[in-house]
Amino acid sequence: MTIFGFLIKSMFRRKLLVTLSMLSLTTAFLLFILLRSVAVLFSGDVIDVPDVRMQTNSKYAMIFPLPHRYGEEIAAVEGVLAVTFASWFGGTFREGDTSAMTFAVDPSTYFEVHENYQISTEHLEAFLGLRTAAVAPEAIMYRYDLEVGEKVPVTSSIYPNTNGEPWTFDLVGTYRSENESEAAFLPFLFHYEYLKEASGESDVGWYTFTIEDPDKATEIAQIVDSKFENTADKTKTMTESQAFRNMMEQFGDISLMMNGIIGAVFFTMLLLTANTMIHSYRQRIPDLAVLKTLGFSDGKVARYMIFESLLFCTSSAAVGIGIAVATLALIGPYLPSGFVLIVTWNTLFWGTCIAVGLGLFIGLVPAFSANRLVIVDALHAR
């Protein structure tokens, strides 16, 4: 019999108890991956944007618009390369569906500032040349089964159409991002001028601009905000990555809540698993004595106990993580736009560390006891 086979046979000495314990531990790691994915999303660390891109919002909240003239004043600041703007439209593509990320933008400057967004020359020219034109990222195209060339009806609770009918856009192209982390967060884009003409809107939601030197981001942010300090529409400028984190923080400290739940789950699993391993050890004391009688050293028997504990925890973790990854892949297309749950390498690393650490921790007591086991006393326990 191989060492691995011996460990498997020993571990499943009491099949029902071990199986139930493994199911519990598998569930714990399943919850760990799912909850950590939610925590990562709301921490804002899931998206990676260039450090040279900054964003100016209303000082009070993102929902308050800013005057259109602010763009020229931001562009005049030394170190600013290009400026664009966008307004949140809150579009819904399908009745009963949640709002998707839909922005009214200036097509002539939007892709100049967002240099990492890739759009073909043909699609960009079509976007620039038609007032009702729109472009969509690949994620939205797939989610709503859209095709270039079709007319897309979109409703909005923020900007309802004056005639009571859905807004209709001509989908003239698609675009993507060089950064894979941004792919699921890309919005459906259409002409701000179309929104302005149809609704009378004259303000914009926020400004995005690129700077020459990312080391001067704080200095430039202070200069921009000081320009509007004595106006009714004060601003708050920061890097775009920080703006994304701030937006997620408006939902509350979800990351802290998720980590707290994870801690409680694993504390319970620690007690349950440790109890299982100690109980299993007590049942096998005579067997361990037989191993020592056959010539197995104290250290070798102790190592068997630790390896068995590691196998128990890591196999349960592998199954739980695998189920979680598959679950996220299946439900991903049905989640609201911008609500993206991603299993990061950092999450997988910590999941592995927890599995190994838990295995070592709960295996130490049985291993230490096995190391000190006296053959005569152990055989007497039979």
Side-chain angles (χ1 to χ4, degrees), residues 52-107:
V52 295
R53 212 157 69 204
M54 302 189 69
Q55 185 170 309
T56 298
N57 304 317
S58 169
K59 183 177 181 179
Y60 306 108
M62 192 176 180
I63 61 174
F64 295 109
L66 297 173
H68 197 281
R69 61 179 176 81
Y70 278 15
E72 296 180 357
E73 298 190 47
I74 293 173
V77 174
E78 184 178 355
V80 174
L81 300 178
V83 182
T84 191
F85 60 82
S87 291
W88 187 282
F89 184 70
T92 302
F93 291 82
R94 189 181 298 153
E95 186 176 356
D97 199 2
T98 55
S99 295
M101 293 179 66
T102 312
F103 296 171
V105 302
D106 175 20

Side-chain angles (χ1 to χ4, degrees), residues 215-236:
D215 293 332
K216 295 183 178 181
T218 302
E219 178 184 345
I220 292 175
Q222 293 173 348
I223 295 173
V224 170
D225 292 339
S226 66
K227 281 179 170 289
F228 314 115
E229 182 62 31
N230 297 320
T231 67
D233 300 297
K234 296 180 174 60
T235 62
K236 184 176 182 180

Side-chain angles (χ1 to χ4, degrees), residues 35-46:
L35 295 177
R36 275 301 303 163
S37 297
V38 174
V40 169
L41 170 65
F42 283 94
S43 69
D45 294 334
V46 71

Side-chain angles (χ1 to χ4, degrees), residues 245-267:
R245 284 192 289 270
N246 287 355
M247 182 180 70
M248 288 301 180
E249 288 174 359
Q250 293 179 10
F251 294 95
D253 199 343
I254 304 297
S255 181
L256 179 62
M257 293 170 57
M258 294 299 103
N259 290 333
I261 296 173
I262 291 171
V265 168
F266 274 104
F267 178 74

Side-chain angles (χ1 to χ4, degrees), residues 48-54 209-211 213-215 217 239-241:
D48 178 28
V49 296
D51 293 334
V52 295
R53 212 157 69 204
M54 302 189 69
F209 58 94
T210 53
I211 58 176
D213 185 0
D215 293 332
T239 61
E240 197 172 45
S241 57

Side-chain angles (χ1 to χ4, degrees), residues 21-22 24-26 28-29 263 265-275 277 305-306 308-314 316-317 350-366:
S21 298
M22 289 187 72
S24 299
L25 198 56
T26 296
F29 279 96
V265 168
F266 274 104
F267 178 74
T268 304
M269 288 301 102
L270 173 63
L271 297 180
L272 174 64
T273 308
N275 178 69
M277 295 304 296
M305 299 303 298
I306 292 179
E308 180 181 327
S309 177
L310 283 171
L311 179 62
F312 177 86
C313 292
T314 54
S316 300
W350 281 110
T352 303
C353 289
I354 290 173
V356 173
L358 187 62
L360 290 173
F361 182 78
I362 64 176
L364 284 177
V365 173

